[in-house]
Amino acid sequence: MTTVASVRDGLVAWVARRSAAKWVLAKFGSRALALLPQAALVPLKRDGVEPVAELERMRRAAPLHRVPVPFGVRVWLVTGQAEAKAVLADTDSFSNDYAKLGAAVGLEQSPGGLGFADPPHHTRLRKLLTPEFTMRRLARLAPRIDEIVTERLDAMAAADGPVDLVREFALPIPSLTICELLGVPYDDRDRFQQLASARFDLFGGAGAALGAVSESLAYMRDIVRRERLAPGDGLIGMIIREHGDEVSDEELAGLADGVLTGGFDTTASMLALGAIVLMSDEQAGAAMRDDDAAVAPLVEELLRHLSVVQVAFPRFARRDMRIGDTEIREGDVLVCSLSAANREGADGFDPSRAPSGHLAFGHGAHRCVGAELARMELRAAFPALVRRFPQLRFADPAPAFRGASIVHGVDSLMVHVRP
């Protein structure tokens, strides 16, 4: 049974993995999340791959709910799909500037990055990244993604006994893909994978994770300095060639680290949780294995159903307003539950469901810039996995689901790959 202490420890570890950690932990220490009431943890919990029943009850009861939290901040959880889309799309009424929360609770600095920036700063930074994530630019990665997937499947096939699908498949694929995207030198790839895994390590504790974040940023700065001297064909080199001194080394390192933060843990979690669904649902596994035309829509249904990013970055109300029957005050914090919104009108998993406008990648100006890259990885990896191992099945111990986390997932998934 998941205890309150384990949930809070998991949250502390997650906060330590994310960019806001330095300021939250510096101000409040590990007791910050220990102060959260159980009601605040509901959108971060799961029952296996399903949202907990309480979140479903909340969604059915009303689209917005007041969440009691400390620090003197009024927080609302948005569970309705239409309301979540409206909040996420409205940059005039809502701000992503983390400094607004910092002012409310006494934090002196903002963590920065695209997720916590408003226009025009956000617009400028996003315009640097967007051209590198078009399908035309990403197409150059497709052959390498296929190679990476094949290499991981070969490694799984060569293993004796059960295989940890998380360590051998789900984690390396996005890590190595991001290496290709950023243009990380081949000789550095083992170190890069270690840095990527360390910053998302649930078991090393908050201090270890914070150290990994700092080491990752230092490594990114070093890569940027090298790319300034001889720009390569990766994302960093392309931005330098096209924008030169318009973008600083610190901004480039932050953007590169943001690509790692946004594209590693999320895609790894999708690969692991998606494998669980494909092993559990015979119809889905057969469709993914036998029908090429079913792959893309099935990936969309997995994205919607799993919603591994459970809540979006917080939004801060710029003015007093009304959303439905709810009065929102200037300065209120709104947190959109993507996992709840994505279940509206489509509660269960249906491998034959036509793709819909899900919120798995967010919505509006802050929608995930790497959405198409994630889709490429999932569309390559899932069919390759079930075709290579048609008798893939669970092994002991059972999947180790995270107790509570912004990004839901499993920390290990033992499987048999052969009869």
Side-chain angles (χ1 to χ4, degrees):
M1 179 179 294
T2 301
T3 65
V4 173
S6 66
V7 168
R8 289 170 178 165
D9 288 348
L11 278 167
V12 170
W14 180 85
V15 169
R17 295 199 303 262
R18 309 300 285 192
S19 55
K22 305 170 190 176
W23 296 273
V24 175
L25 293 179
K27 181 68 178 180
F28 299 106
S30 60
R31 65 186 179 87
L33 292 170
L35 296 174
L36 289 176
Q38 286 298 298
L41 303 179
V42 168
L44 306 182
K45 294 182 180 180
R46 287 286 181 99
D47 181 7
V49 299
E50 303 289 339
V52 293
E54 187 174 351
L55 182 63
E56 176 62 13
R57 288 194 293 269
M58 293 171 68
R59 182 181 67 78
R60 292 181 180 276
L64 273 80
H65 306 266
R66 178 77 183 274
V67 180
V69 296
F71 317 128
V73 181
R74 281 170 45 104
V75 177
W76 299 90
L77 180 68
V78 184
T79 57
Q81 186 178 90
E83 291 77 10
K85 284 185 175 180
V87 170
L88 296 176
D90 191 350
T91 56
D92 292 329
S93 300
F94 299 98
S95 168
N96 273 59
D97 187 352
Y98 192 83
K100 290 178 170 55
L101 177 62
V105 300
L107 304 180
E108 296 180 357
Q109 294 178 288
S110 166
L114 283 177
F116 293 109
D118 286 338
H121 181 57
H122 172 269
T123 306
R124 173 178 167 269
L125 292 179
R126 191 176 178 97
K127 281 183 176 179
L128 295 174
L129 283 178
T130 299
E132 310 308 324
F133 285 93
T134 62
M135 288 307 297
R136 182 179 64 82
R137 291 277 182 96
L138 291 175
R140 65 187 173 83
L141 293 175
R144 181 58 184 139
I145 291 174
D146 289 338
E147 289 177 1
I148 292 168
V149 171
T150 300
E151 289 167 3
R152 299 321 308 157
L153 295 176
D154 288 346
M156 292 172 66
D160 293 327
V163 176
D164 186 349
L165 188 140
V166 172
R167 297 292 178 186
E168 298 299 328
F169 186 77
L171 292 176
I173 289 173
S175 172
L176 291 170
T177 298
I178 292 171
C179 282
E180 295 290 336
L181 175 70
L182 295 178
V184 172
Y186 189 84
D187 290 344
D188 287 359
R189 301 209 168 183
D190 286 344
R191 182 186 176 204
F192 183 87
Q193 285 193 80
Q194 291 169 359
L195 287 173
S197 297
R199 70 180 292 154
F200 295 103
D201 182 8
L202 287 174
F203 304 106
L210 279 172
V213 171
S214 297
E215 187 178 355
S216 174
L217 280 168
Y219 174 75
M220 294 299 183
R221 294 187 191 102
D222 182 58
I223 289 290
V224 169
R225 283 192 290 268
R226 285 189 267 172
E227 290 285 315
R228 286 282 186 192
L229 298 175
D233 295 329
L235 181 147
I236 297 173
M238 288 181 178
I239 291 177
I240 289 173
R241 284 201 302 273
E242 293 177 12
H243 298 278
D245 293 336
E246 295 175 20
V247 56
S248 69
D249 285 8
E250 196 65 23
E251 286 176 325
L252 261 178
L255 288 174
D257 190 69
V259 169
L260 171 61
T261 301
F264 175 61
D265 196 30
T266 51
T267 302
S269 291
M270 268 301 303
L271 288 170
L273 294 183
I276 289 174
V277 173
L278 295 175
M279 285 188 286
S280 304
D281 189 304
E282 184 176 348
Q283 181 185 355
M288 186 70 78
R289 182 180 63 247
D290 302 330
D291 185 359
D292 287 343
V295 171
L298 186 47
V299 165
E300 294 306 305
E301 175 65 358
L302 287 169
L303 285 164
R304 180 203 64 80
H305 180 72
L306 294 171
S307 297
V308 296
V309 180
Q310 303 203 83
V311 296
F313 284 122
R315 265 62 174 175
F316 309 98
R318 297 179 185 269
R319 55 178 175 79
D320 294 348
M321 70 188 78
R322 177 183 288 273
I323 300 178
D325 297 328
T326 304
E327 295 283 353
I328 304 297
R329 300 177 190 169
E330 181 181 355
D332 282 4
V333 181
L334 282 79
V335 178
C336 295
S337 172
L338 305 181
S339 53
N342 274 337
R343 295 302 180 98
E344 188 169 308
D347 287 344
F349 175 73
D350 182 356
S352 64
R353 180 178 282 121
S356 60
H358 61 71
L359 301 179
F361 294 114
H363 185 69
H366 286 273
R367 183 178 180 274
C368 176
V369 71
E372 294 309 317
L373 177 61
R375 285 187 168 110
M376 285 177 62
E377 294 174 80
L378 300 176
R379 290 170 182 172
F382 282 139
L385 176 68
V386 295
R387 289 168 184 171
R388 181 71 174 271
F389 304 122
Q391 294 180 305
L392 187 72
R393 64 198 189 281
F394 297 104
D396 292 330
F401 290 97
R402 294 174 185 170
S405 181
I406 302 295
V407 179
H408 186 52
V410 288
D411 299 314
S412 66
L413 175 57
M414 301 305 297
V415 296
H416 294 290
V417 299
R418 58 179 63 87

